[in-house]
Coordinates of all heavy atoms in Angstrom, one line a residue:
Y421 N 93.1 126.2 84.4 CA 92.2 125.1 84.1 C 92.4 124.1 85.3 O 93.6 123.7 85.6 CB 92.5 124.5 82.8 CG 91.6 123.2 82.6 CD1 90.3 123.3 82.4 CD2 92.2 121.9 82.6 CE1 89.5 122.2 82.1 CE2 91.5 120.8 82.5 CZ 90.0 120.9 82.2 OH 89.3 119.8 82.0
F422 N 91.3 123.5 85.7 CA 91.5 122.5 86.8 C 90.7 121.3 86.2 O 89.5 121.4 85.9 CB 90.8 123.0 88.0 CG 90.9 122.2 89.3 CD1 92.0 122.0 90.0 CD2 89.9 121.3 89.6 CE1 92.3 121.2 91.0 CE2 90.1 120.4 90.6 CZ 91.1 120.4 91.4
G423 N 91.2 120.2 86.4 CA 90.6 119.0 85.9 C 90.9 117.8 86.7 O 91.7 117.8 87.6
Y424 N 90.3 116.7 86.3 CA 90.4 115.5 87.0 C 90.8 114.3 86.0 O 90.3 114.4 84.8 CB 89.2 115.0 87.7 CG 88.6 116.0 88.8 CD1 87.8 116.9 88.3 CD2 89.1 115.9 90.0 CE1 87.3 118.0 89.3 CE2 88.6 116.9 91.0 CZ 87.8 117.8 90.7 OH 87.3 118.8 91.5
A425 N 91.5 113.4 86.4 CA 91.8 112.2 85.6 C 91.4 111.0 86.6 O 91.9 111.0 87.7 CB 93.3 112.0 85.1
I426 N 90.8 110.0 86.0 CA 90.4 108.9 86.9 C 91.0 107.7 86.2 O 90.9 107.4 85.1 CB 88.8 108.7 86.9 CG1 88.1 110.0 87.5 CG2 88.4 107.4 87.6 CD1 86.6 110.0 87.5
V427 N 91.7 107.0 87.1 CA 92.3 105.7 86.7 C 91.7 104.6 87.5 O 91.7 104.6 88.8 CB 93.8 105.7 87.0 CG1 94.5 104.3 86.6 CG2 94.5 106.8 86.3
R428 N 91.1 103.6 86.8 CA 90.3 102.6 87.5 C 91.3 101.4 87.6 O 91.8 100.9 86.5 CB 89.1 102.3 86.7 CG 88.3 101.1 87.4 CD 87.0 101.0 86.5 NE 86.2 99.8 87.1 CZ 85.0 99.5 86.8 NH1 84.3 100.5 86.1 NH2 84.5 98.5 87.2
I429 N 91.3 100.7 88.7 CA 92.1 99.5 89.0 C 91.2 98.4 88.9 O 90.3 98.3 89.7 CB 93.0 99.6 90.2 CG1 93.9 100.8 90.1 CG2 93.8 98.4 90.3 CD1 94.6 100.9 91.4
E430 N 91.4 97.5 87.9 CA 90.5 96.3 87.8 C 91.0 95.1 88.5 O 90.2 94.3 88.9 CB 90.4 96.0 86.3 CG 89.6 96.9 85.5 CD 88.0 96.9 85.7 OE1 87.6 95.9 86.2 OE2 87.5 97.9 85.5
Q431 N 92.3 95.1 88.7 CA 92.8 93.9 89.4 C 93.9 94.4 90.3 O 94.8 95.1 90.1 CB 93.5 93.0 88.3 CG 94.1 91.8 88.9 CD 94.8 90.9 87.7 OE1 94.2 90.8 86.7 NE2 95.9 90.2 88.1
L432 N 93.8 93.8 91.7 CA 94.7 94.3 92.7 C 95.8 93.4 92.9 O 96.9 93.7 93.4 CB 94.0 94.4 94.1 CG 92.8 95.5 93.9 CD1 92.1 95.5 95.4 CD2 93.4 97.0 93.8
A433 N 95.6 92.2 92.5 CA 96.8 91.1 92.7 C 96.9 90.3 91.3 O 96.0 89.8 90.9 CB 96.5 90.2 93.8
P434 N 98.2 90.4 90.9 CA 99.3 91.1 91.3 C 99.1 92.6 91.2 O 98.4 93.0 90.2 CB 100.4 90.5 90.6 CG 99.8 90.1 89.3 CD 98.5 89.6 89.5
F435 N 99.6 93.3 92.0 CA 99.3 94.8 92.0 C 100.0 95.4 90.8 O 101.2 95.2 90.5 CB 99.9 95.5 93.3 CG 99.4 96.8 93.6 CD1 98.1 97.1 94.0 CD2 100.2 97.9 93.2 CE1 97.5 98.3 94.0 CE2 99.7 99.2 93.4 CZ 98.3 99.5 93.8
P436 N 99.3 96.3 90.0 CA 99.7 96.8 88.8 C 100.6 98.1 88.9 O 100.5 99.2 88.5 CB 98.4 97.2 88.1 CG 97.6 97.6 89.3 CD 97.9 96.6 90.4
H437 N 101.8 97.9 89.6 CA 102.7 99.0 89.9 C 103.2 99.7 88.6 O 103.0 101.0 88.5 CB 104.0 98.4 90.5 CG 103.8 97.9 91.9 ND1 103.5 96.6 92.1 CD2 103.9 98.5 93.1 CE1 103.4 96.4 93.4 NE2 103.6 97.5 94.0
E438 N 103.5 99.0 87.6 CA 104.1 99.8 86.4 C 102.9 100.4 85.6 O 103.1 101.4 85.0 CB 104.9 98.7 85.5 CG 106.2 98.3 86.2 CD 107.1 99.5 86.5 OE1 107.3 100.4 85.6 OE2 107.7 99.4 87.6
A439 N 101.8 99.7 85.5 CA 100.7 100.2 84.8 C 100.2 101.5 85.5 O 99.8 102.4 84.7 CB 99.5 99.2 84.8
L440 N 100.3 101.6 86.7 CA 99.9 102.8 87.4 C 100.8 103.9 87.1 O 100.4 105.1 86.9 CB 99.7 102.7 89.0 CG 98.4 102.0 89.4 CD1 98.5 101.7 90.8 CD2 97.3 102.9 89.1
K441 N 102.1 103.6 87.2 CA 103.2 104.6 86.9 C 102.9 105.1 85.5 O 103.0 106.3 85.3 CB 104.5 104.0 87.0 CG 105.0 103.9 88.4 CD 106.4 103.2 88.3 CE 106.9 102.8 89.7 NZ 108.2 102.3 89.8
Q442 N 102.8 104.3 84.5 CA 102.5 104.7 83.2 C 101.3 105.5 83.0 O 101.3 106.5 82.3 CB 102.5 103.4 82.2 CG 102.4 103.7 80.8 CD 102.4 102.5 79.9 OE1 102.2 101.5 80.4 NE2 102.6 102.7 78.6
A443 N 100.2 105.2 83.6 CA 98.9 105.9 83.5 C 99.1 107.3 84.0 O 98.5 108.2 83.5 CB 97.8 105.2 84.3
V444 N 99.8 107.5 85.1 CA 100.0 108.8 85.7 C 101.1 109.6 85.0 O 101.2 110.8 85.2 CB 100.1 108.7 87.2 CG1 100.4 110.1 87.9 CG2 99.0 108.0 87.8
S445 N 102.0 109.0 84.3 CA 103.2 109.7 83.7 C 102.9 110.8 82.9 O 103.8 111.7 82.6 CB 104.0 108.6 83.0 OG 103.5 108.2 81.9
K446 N 101.7 110.8 82.2 CA 101.4 111.9 81.3 C 101.0 113.2 82.0 O 100.8 114.2 81.4 CB 100.4 111.5 80.3 CG 99.1 111.1 80.9 CD 98.2 110.6 79.9 CE 97.7 109.2 80.2 NZ 96.9 108.5 79.2
Y447 N 101.0 113.1 83.4 CA 100.5 114.3 84.1 C 101.7 114.9 84.8 O 102.8 114.3 84.9 CB 99.4 113.9 85.1 CG 98.2 113.3 84.4 CD1 97.9 112.0 84.4 CD2 97.3 114.1 83.8 CE1 96.9 111.3 83.8 CE2 96.2 113.6 83.1 CZ 96.0 112.2 83.2 OH 95.0 111.7 82.5
D448 N 101.5 116.2 85.3 CA 102.6 116.9 86.0 C 103.0 116.0 87.2 O 102.2 115.4 87.8 CB 102.0 118.2 86.4 CG 103.1 119.0 87.2 OD1 103.2 118.9 88.3 OD2 103.6 119.9 86.5
V449 N 104.3 116.1 87.4 CA 104.9 115.3 88.6 C 104.3 115.7 90.0 O 104.3 115.0 90.9 CB 106.4 115.4 88.7 CG1 107.0 114.7 87.4 CG2 106.9 116.8 88.8
N450 N 103.7 117.0 90.0 CA 103.1 117.5 91.2 C 101.7 117.2 91.4 O 100.9 117.7 92.3 CB 103.4 118.9 91.4 CG 104.9 119.2 91.6 OD1 105.6 118.5 92.2 ND2 105.3 120.3 90.8
V451 N 101.1 116.4 90.5 CA 99.7 116.1 90.6 C 99.3 115.4 91.8 O 100.1 114.6 92.4 CB 99.3 115.1 89.3 CG1 99.9 113.8 89.5 CG2 97.8 115.1 89.2
T452 N 98.2 115.7 92.3 CA 97.6 115.0 93.6 C 97.1 113.8 93.2 O 96.2 113.7 92.3 CB 96.6 116.0 94.2 OG1 97.1 117.3 94.6 CG2 96.1 115.3 95.5
I453 N 97.4 112.7 94.0 CA 96.9 111.4 93.7 C 96.0 111.0 94.8 O 96.6 111.0 96.2 CB 98.0 110.3 93.5 CG1 98.8 110.7 92.3 CG2 97.5 109.0 93.3 CD1 100.0 110.0 91.9
D454 N 94.8 110.6 94.6 CA 93.9 110.3 95.7 C 93.3 108.9 95.4 O 93.2 108.4 94.3 CB 92.7 111.2 95.8 CG 93.1 112.6 96.0 OD1 94.0 112.8 96.9 OD2 92.6 113.5 95.5
W455 N 93.0 108.1 96.5 CA 92.2 106.9 96.3 C 90.7 107.1 96.8 O 90.4 107.7 97.7 CB 92.7 105.8 97.4 CG 92.0 104.5 97.3 CD1 91.1 104.1 98.1 CD2 92.2 103.5 96.3 NE1 90.5 102.8 97.7 CE2 91.3 102.6 96.6 CE3 93.0 103.3 95.2 CZ2 91.2 101.3 95.8 CZ3 93.0 102.2 94.4 CH2 92.0 101.2 94.8
V456 N 89.8 106.7 95.8 CA 88.3 107.0 96.0 C 87.7 105.6 95.9 O 88.0 104.8 95.0 CB 87.8 107.9 94.9 CG1 86.4 108.0 95.0 CG2 88.6 109.2 94.9
Q457 N 87.0 105.4 97.0 CA 86.0 104.0 96.9 C 84.7 104.5 97.6 O 84.6 105.3 98.5 CB 86.8 102.9 97.6 CG 86.9 103.1 99.1 CD 87.7 102.0 99.8 OE1 88.6 101.3 99.2 NE2 87.2 101.6 101.0
E458 N 83.7 103.8 97.2 CA 82.4 104.1 97.7 C 82.3 103.4 99.0 O 81.5 103.7 99.9 CB 81.3 103.4 96.7 CG 80.0 103.8 97.2 CD 78.8 103.3 96.3 OE1 79.1 102.4 95.3 OE2 77.6 103.6 96.5
E459 N 83.0 102.2 99.3 CA 82.9 101.6 100.5 C 83.4 102.4 101.7 O 84.1 103.3 101.6 CB 83.7 100.3 100.5 CG 83.1 99.2 99.5 CD 83.7 99.4 98.1 OE1 84.6 100.3 98.0 OE2 83.4 98.6 97.2
H460 N 83.0 102.0 102.9 CA 83.6 102.6 104.1 C 85.1 102.4 104.1 O 85.7 101.4 103.6 CB 82.9 101.9 105.4 CG 81.5 102.1 105.4 ND1 80.9 103.3 106.0 CD2 80.4 101.4 105.1 CE1 79.6 103.3 105.8 NE2 79.3 102.1 105.3
E461 N 85.7 103.3 105.0 CA 87.2 103.2 105.0 C 87.7 101.9 105.4 O 88.7 101.3 105.0 CB 87.7 104.3 105.8 CG 89.3 104.4 105.9 CD 89.7 105.6 106.7 OE1 88.9 106.3 107.2 OE2 90.9 105.6 106.8
N462 N 87.0 101.2 106.4 CA 87.5 99.9 106.9 C 86.9 98.7 106.1 O 87.1 97.6 106.4 CB 87.0 99.8 108.4 CG 85.6 99.9 108.6 OD1 84.9 100.7 108.0 ND2 85.0 99.3 109.6
Y463 N 86.4 99.0 104.9 CA 86.0 97.9 104.0 C 86.7 98.3 102.6 O 87.3 99.3 102.6 CB 84.5 97.9 103.8 CG 83.7 97.4 105.0 CD1 83.1 98.3 105.9 CD2 83.6 96.1 105.2 CE1 82.5 97.8 107.0 CE2 82.9 95.6 106.3 CZ 82.2 96.5 107.3 OH 81.6 96.0 108.3
G464 N 86.5 97.5 101.7 CA 87.1 97.8 100.3 C 88.5 97.6 100.4 O 89.2 96.9 101.2
A465 N 89.3 98.2 99.4 CA 90.7 97.9 99.2 C 91.7 98.9 99.7 O 92.8 98.7 99.7 CB 90.8 97.8 97.6
W466 N 91.2 99.9 100.4 CA 92.0 100.9 100.9 C 93.4 100.5 101.7 O 94.3 100.8 101.5 CB 91.3 102.0 101.7 CG 92.1 103.0 102.4 CD1 92.3 103.1 103.7 CD2 93.0 104.0 101.8 NE1 93.1 104.2 104.0 CE2 93.6 104.6 102.9 CE3 93.4 104.2 100.6 CZ2 94.6 105.8 102.7 CZ3 94.2 105.3 100.3 CH2 94.9 106.0 101.4
H467 N 93.1 99.7 102.7 CA 94.1 99.2 103.5 C 95.1 98.3 102.8 O 96.3 98.2 103.2 CB 93.7 98.5 104.8 CG 93.0 99.6 105.8 ND1 93.8 100.5 106.4 CD2 91.6 99.8 105.9 CE1 92.9 101.3 107.2 NE2 91.6 100.8 106.8
F468 N 94.7 97.7 101.7 CA 95.6 96.8 100.8 C 96.4 97.7 100.0 O 97.5 97.5 99.8 CB 94.8 95.9 100.0 CG 95.6 95.0 99.1 CD1 96.3 93.9 99.6 CD2 95.6 95.4 97.8 CE1 97.1 93.1 98.7 CE2 96.4 94.6 96.9 CZ 97.2 93.6 97.3
V469 N 95.7 98.6 99.4 CA 96.5 99.5 98.2 C 97.3 100.7 98.8 O 98.2 101.0 98.2 CB 95.4 100.1 97.3 CG1 94.7 98.9 96.5 CG2 94.5 101.0 97.9
Y470 N 96.9 101.2 100.0 CA 97.7 102.3 100.6 C 99.3 102.1 100.6 O 99.9 103.0 100.0 CB 97.1 102.7 102.0 CG 97.9 103.9 102.5 CD1 97.7 105.1 102.0 CD2 98.8 103.8 103.6 CE1 98.3 106.2 102.5 CE2 99.3 104.8 104.2 CZ 99.2 106.1 103.6 OH 99.8 107.2 104.1
P471 N 99.8 101.1 101.2 CA 101.3 101.0 101.2 C 101.8 100.8 99.7 O 102.8 101.2 99.5 CB 101.5 99.8 102.0 CG 100.2 99.0 102.1 CD 99.2 100.0 101.9
R472 N 101.1 100.2 98.8 CA 101.5 99.9 97.5 C 101.5 101.2 96.6 O 102.4 101.5 95.9 CB 100.6 98.9 96.9 CG 100.9 97.5 97.5 CD 99.8 96.5 97.2 NE 100.1 95.2 97.7 CZ 99.9 94.9 99.2 NH1 99.5 95.8 100.0 NH2 100.2 93.7 99.5
L473 N 100.5 102.0 96.8 CA 100.4 103.3 96.2 C 101.6 104.2 96.6 O 102.1 105.0 95.9 CB 99.1 104.0 96.4 CG 97.8 103.3 95.7 CD1 96.5 103.9 96.1 CD2 97.9 103.3 94.2
G474 N 101.8 104.2 97.9 CA 102.9 105.0 98.5 C 104.2 104.6 97.8 O 105.1 105.5 97.5
K475 N 104.4 103.3 97.6 CA 105.7 102.9 96.9 C 105.8 103.3 95.5 O 106.7 103.6 95.0 CB 105.8 101.4 97.1 CG 106.2 100.9 98.5 CD 106.4 99.4 98.5 CE 106.7 99.0 99.9 NZ 106.8 97.4 100.1
V476 N 104.6 103.2 94.8 CA 104.5 103.5 93.4 C 104.9 105.1 93.2 O 105.6 105.4 92.3 CB 103.2 103.2 92.8 CG1 103.1 103.7 91.3 CG2 103.0 101.6 92.7
F477 N 104.1 105.8 94.0 CA 104.3 107.2 93.7 C 105.1 108.1 94.7 O 105.3 109.2 94.6 CB 102.8 107.9 93.7 CG 102.0 107.2 92.7 CD1 100.8 106.5 93.1 CD2 102.3 107.4 91.3 CE1 100.0 105.9 92.1 CE2 101.4 106.8 90.4 CZ 100.4 106.1 90.8
N478 N 105.7 107.4 95.7 CA 106.6 108.0 96.7 C 106.0 109.3 97.3 O 106.6 110.3 97.3 CB 108.0 108.2 96.1 CG 109.0 108.4 97.1 OD1 108.9 107.9 98.2 ND2 110.1 109.2 96.8
R479 N 104.7 109.3 97.7 CA 104.1 110.4 98.2 C 102.9 110.0 99.1 O 102.4 108.8 99.1 CB 103.7 111.4 97.2 CG 102.6 110.9 96.2 CD 102.3 111.9 95.3 NE 103.0 111.7 94.1 CZ 103.0 112.3 93.0 NH1 102.1 113.3 92.9 NH2 103.8 112.1 92.0
K480 N 102.4 110.9 99.7 CA 101.2 110.6 100.6 C 99.9 110.5 99.6 O 99.8 111.3 98.8 CB 100.9 111.6 101.6 CG 99.8 111.4 102.6 CD 99.6 112.4 103.7 CE 98.4 112.0 104.5 NZ 98.1 112.9 105.5
I481 N 99.0 109.5 99.9 CA 97.9 109.4 99.1 C 96.6 109.8 100.0 O 96.6 109.1 101.1 CB 97.8 107.9 98.6 CG1 99.0 107.5 97.9 CG2 96.6 107.7 97.8 CD1 99.3 108.3 96.6
R482 N 95.7 110.6 99.6 CA 94.6 110.8 100.4 C 93.5 109.8 100.2 O 93.4 109.3 99.0 CB 94.0 112.2 100.1 CG 95.0 113.3 100.5 CD 94.2 114.7 100.3 NE 94.0 114.9 98.9 CZ 93.3 116.0 98.5 NH1 93.1 117.1 99.3 NH2 93.0 116.1 97.2
F483 N 92.6 109.6 101.1 CA 91.7 108.6 101.1 C 90.3 109.4 101.0 O 90.0 110.4 101.7 CB 91.4 107.7 102.2 CG 90.2 106.8 102.3 CD1 90.1 105.8 101.6 CD2 89.1 107.3 103.1 CE1 89.0 105.0 101.6 CE2 87.9 106.5 103.1 CZ 87.9 105.4 102.4
F484 N 89.4 109.1 99.9 CA 88.0 109.6 99.9 C 87.2 108.3 99.9 O 87.2 107.6 99.0 CB 87.8 110.4 98.6 CG 88.5 111.8 98.7 CD1 89.8 111.9 98.2 CD2 87.9 112.8 99.3 CE1 90.4 113.2 98.2 CE2 88.5 114.0 99.3 CZ 89.7 114.3 98.8
G485 N 86.3 108.4 100.8 CA 85.3 107.2 100.9 C 84.4 107.4 102.1 O 84.5 108.6 102.7
R486 N 83.6 106.6 102.4 CA 82.7 106.7 103.5 C 83.4 106.5 104.9 O 84.5 105.8 104.9 CB 81.6 105.7 103.4 CG 80.7 105.8 102.2 CD 79.6 104.8 102.2 NE 79.0 104.7 100.8 CZ 77.9 105.4 100.6 NH1 77.2 105.9 101.6 NH2 77.4 105.3 99.3
K487 N 83.1 107.1 105.9 CA 83.7 107.0 107.2 C 83.6 105.6 107.7 O 82.7 104.8 107.3 CB 83.0 107.9 108.2 CG 83.1 109.4 107.9 CD 82.4 110.3 108.8 CE 82.5 111.6 108.3 NZ 81.5 112.6 109.1
P488 N 84.6 105.1 108.5 CA 84.6 103.8 109.0 C 83.2 103.5 109.7 O 82.6 104.4 110.4 CB 85.7 103.8 109.9 CG 86.5 104.8 109.6 CD 85.7 105.9 109.0
S489 N 82.8 102.2 109.5 CA 81.5 101.8 110.1 C 81.6 100.3 110.5 O 82.2 99.6 109.7 CB 80.4 102.1 109.1 OG 79.2 101.6 109.5
A490 N 80.8 99.9 111.5 CA 80.6 98.5 111.8 C 79.8 97.8 110.9 O 79.8 96.7 110.6 CB 80.1 98.4 113.2
A491 N 78.8 98.5 110.2 CA 77.9 98.1 109.3 C 78.4 98.2 107.9 O 79.1 99.2 107.6 CB 76.4 98.7 109.3
T492 N 78.1 97.2 107.0 CA 78.5 97.4 105.6 C 77.8 98.3 104.9 O 78.1 98.6 103.7 CB 78.5 95.9 105.0 OG1 77.2 95.5 104.9 CG2 79.4 95.0 105.7
A493 N 76.6 98.7 105.2 CA 75.7 99.6 104.5 C 75.0 100.5 105.4 O 74.9 100.3 106.6 CB 74.6 98.7 103.7
A494 N 74.4 101.6 104.8 CA 73.7 102.6 105.7 C 72.5 102.0 106.4 O 72.1 102.5 107.4 CB 73.4 103.9 104.8
G495 N 71.9 101.1 105.6 CA 70.5 100.5 106.1 C 69.3 101.1 105.6 O 68.2 100.5 105.8
A496 N 69.3 102.3 105.1 CA 68.3 102.9 104.5 C 68.7 103.6 103.2 O 69.7 104.3 103.1 CB 67.6 103.9 105.4
L497 N 67.9 103.5 102.2 CA 68.2 104.1 100.8 C 68.4 105.5 101.0 O 69.3 106.2 100.4 CB 67.1 103.8 99.8 CG 67.4 104.3 98.4 CD1 68.7 103.8 97.8 CD2 66.3 104.0 97.5
K498 N 67.5 106.3 101.8 CA 67.6 107.7 102.0 C 69.0 108.1 102.5 O 69.7 109.0 102.1 CB 66.5 108.2 102.8 CG 66.5 109.7 102.8 CD 65.2 110.2 103.6 CE 65.2 111.7 103.8 NZ 64.0 112.2 104.5
L499 N 69.3 107.4 103.6 CA 70.7 107.6 104.2 C 71.8 107.3 103.2 O 72.8 108.1 103.2 CB 70.8 106.9 105.5 CG 72.1 107.1 106.2 CD1 72.3 108.6 106.7 CD2 72.1 106.3 107.5
H500 N 71.6 106.2 102.4 CA 72.7 106.0 101.5 C 72.9 107.0 100.5 O 74.0 107.3 100.2 CB 72.3 104.6 100.8 CG 73.2 104.3 99.6 ND1 74.4 103.6 99.9 CD2 73.1 104.4 98.4 CE1 75.1 103.5 98.8 NE2 74.3 104.0 97.7
K501 N 71.8 107.5 100.1 CA 72.0 108.6 99.0 C 72.5 109.9 99.6 O 73.3 110.7 98.9 CB 70.6 108.9 98.4 CG 70.1 107.8 97.5 CD 68.8 108.1 96.8 CE 68.5 107.0 95.7 NZ 67.4 107.3 94.9
I502 N 72.4 110.2 100.8 CA 72.9 111.3 101.5 C 74.4 111.1 101.7 O 75.1 112.0 101.3 CB 72.3 111.6 102.8 CG1 70.9 112.1 102.8 CG2 73.2 112.5 103.7 CD1 70.0 112.1 104.0
E503 N 74.8 109.9 102.1 CA 76.2 109.7 102.1 C 76.9 109.7 100.9 O 78.0 110.2 100.8 CB 76.4 108.2 102.8 CG 76.1 108.2 104.2 CD 76.3 106.7 104.8 OE1 76.4 105.7 104.0 OE2 76.2 106.6 106.0
E504 N 76.3 109.2 99.8 CA 76.9 109.2 98.5 C 77.0 110.6 97.9 O 78.1 110.9 97.4 CB 75.9 108.2 97.5 CG 76.6 108.1 96.2 CD 75.9 107.1 95.4 OE1 74.7 107.3 95.4 OE2 76.4 106.2 94.9
A505 N 76.1 111.4 98.2 CA 76.2 112.8 97.7 C 77.3 113.6 98.5 O 78.0 114.3 97.9 CB 74.7 113.5 98.0
E506 N 77.4 113.4 99.7 CA 78.5 113.8 100.6 C 79.8 113.5 100.1 O 80.7 114.3 99.9 CB 78.4 113.5 102.1 CG 77.1 114.4 102.7 CD 77.0 113.9 104.2 OE1 77.7 112.8 104.6 OE2 76.2 114.5 104.9
L507 N 79.9 112.2 99.7 CA 81.2 111.6 99.3 C 81.5 112.3 97.9 O 82.7 112.8 97.7 CB 81.1 110.2 98.9 CG 82.3 109.4 98.3 CD1 83.5 109.6 99.1 CD2 82.0 107.9 98.3
M508 N 80.6 112.4 97.0 CA 80.9 113.0 95.7 C 81.2 114.6 95.9 O 82.2 115.0 95.2 CB 79.7 113.0 94.8 CG 79.4 111.6 94.3 SD 80.8 111.0 93.2 CE 81.2 109.4 94.0
D509 N 80.6 115.2 96.8 CA 80.9 116.5 97.1 C 82.3 116.8 97.6 O 83.1 117.6 97.2 CB 79.9 117.2 98.0 CG 80.2 118.7 98.2 OD1 80.1 119.5 97.1 OD2 80.2 119.2 99.3
N510 N 82.6 115.9 98.5 CA 84.0 115.9 99.1 C 85.1 115.6 98.0 O 86.1 116.3 98.0 CB 84.2 114.9 100.2 CG 83.5 115.4 101.5 OD1 83.2 116.5 101.7 ND2 83.1 114.5 102.3
I511 N 84.9 114.7 97.2 CA 85.8 114.3 96.1 C 86.2 115.5 95.3 O 87.3 115.8 95.1 CB 85.5 113.1 95.4 CG1 85.4 111.8 96.2 CG2 86.4 112.9 94.2 CD1 84.6 110.8 95.5
F512 N 85.2 116.1 94.8 CA 85.3 117.2 93.8 C 85.5 118.6 94.3 O 86.0 119.4 93.6 CB 84.3 117.0 92.8 CG 84.2 115.8 92.0 CD1 83.3 114.9 92.2 CD2 85.2 115.6 91.1 CE1 83.4 113.6 91.4 CE2 85.3 114.5 90.3 CZ 84.4 113.5 90.5
S513 N 85.1 118.8 95.6 CA 85.4 120.2 96.1 C 86.7 120.3 96.9 O 87.4 121.3 96.8 CB 84.2 120.6 97.0 OG 84.2 119.7 98.2
L514 N 87.2 119.3 97.6 CA 88.4 119.2 98.3 C 89.6 119.4 97.5 O 90.5 119.9 97.8 CB 88.5 118.0 99.2 CG 87.6 118.0 100.4 CD1 87.8 116.8 101.3 CD2 88.0 119.3 101.4
K515 N 89.6 118.8 96.3 CA 90.7 118.8 95.4 C 91.0 120.3 94.9 O 92.1 120.5 94.4 CB 90.5 118.0 94.1 CG 90.6 116.5 94.6 CD 90.6 115.7 93.2 CE 90.8 114.2 93.7 NZ 90.8 113.5 92.5
K516 N 90.0 121.1 94.9 CA 90.2 122.5 94.4 C 91.0 123.4 95.3 O 91.4 124.3 95.0 CB 88.9 123.1 94.1 CG 88.1 122.4 93.0 CD 86.8 123.0 92.7 CE 86.0 122.3 91.6 NZ 84.6 122.7 91.5
K517 N 91.0 122.9 96.6 CA 91.7 123.8 97.6 C 93.1 123.6 97.6 O 93.7 122.7 97.2 CB 91.2 123.3 98.9 CG 89.6 123.6 99.2 CD 89.3 123.2 100.5 CE 87.6 123.6 100.7 NZ 87.3 123.1 101.9

């Protein structure tokens, strides 16, 4: 069986170190932990949370999100939907490998 667990972080400061440890503690110690955000890699919380997640879980954390961009949005709804579909496909297909 292959499944996913999603933990949503509502507040980044102060960073919820212990709450994250507790949320993941019920899973196998070898579980893969990824950061997923809809924003581009150079926007959103990724660069803030990456070092903190590394300390909490003592392992490499993969990033899933849109590629870095100078613009905050795609600029066209059609392109946004294509990017969003690619993101969802990457999140759920790469973990199976």
Side-chain angles (χ1 to χ4, degrees):
Y421 174 73
F422 185 83
Y424 300 92
I426 297 172
V427 176
R428 181 177 172 162
I429 300 175
E430 291 286 335
Q431 180 177 324
L432 296 176
F435 195 76
H437 295 88
E438 292 305 317
L440 281 174
K441 283 182 188 176
Q442 185 178 11
V444 176
S445 68
K446 60 183 124 187
Y447 302 102
D448 184 275
V449 294
N450 295 318
V451 69
T452 300
I453 299 174
D454 302 320
W455 178 262
V456 179
Q457 68 180 34
E458 185 181 10
E459 294 90 0
H460 296 278
E461 185 175 357
N462 55 325
Y463 291 95
W466 171 241
H467 291 286
F468 176 79
V469 300
Y470 179 70
R472 290 158 179 81
L473 292 173
K475 286 180 182 177
V476 170
F477 300 115
N478 198 25
R479 66 180 94 174
K480 183 177 179 180
I481 309 296
R482 294 186 303 179
F483 171 82
F484 287 93
R486 297 175 194 265
K487 295 176 184 170
S489 174
T492 58
L497 181 58
K498 184 176 181 180
L499 180 56
H500 173 78
K501 288 186 176 192
I502 290 169
E503 288 180 350
E504 189 171 47
E506 287 174 355
L507 174 60
M508 290 296 127
D509 186 51
N510 285 338
I511 292 167
F512 293 107
S513 66
L514 286 177
K515 287 187 174 183
K516 294 177 185 174
K517 294 179 180 178

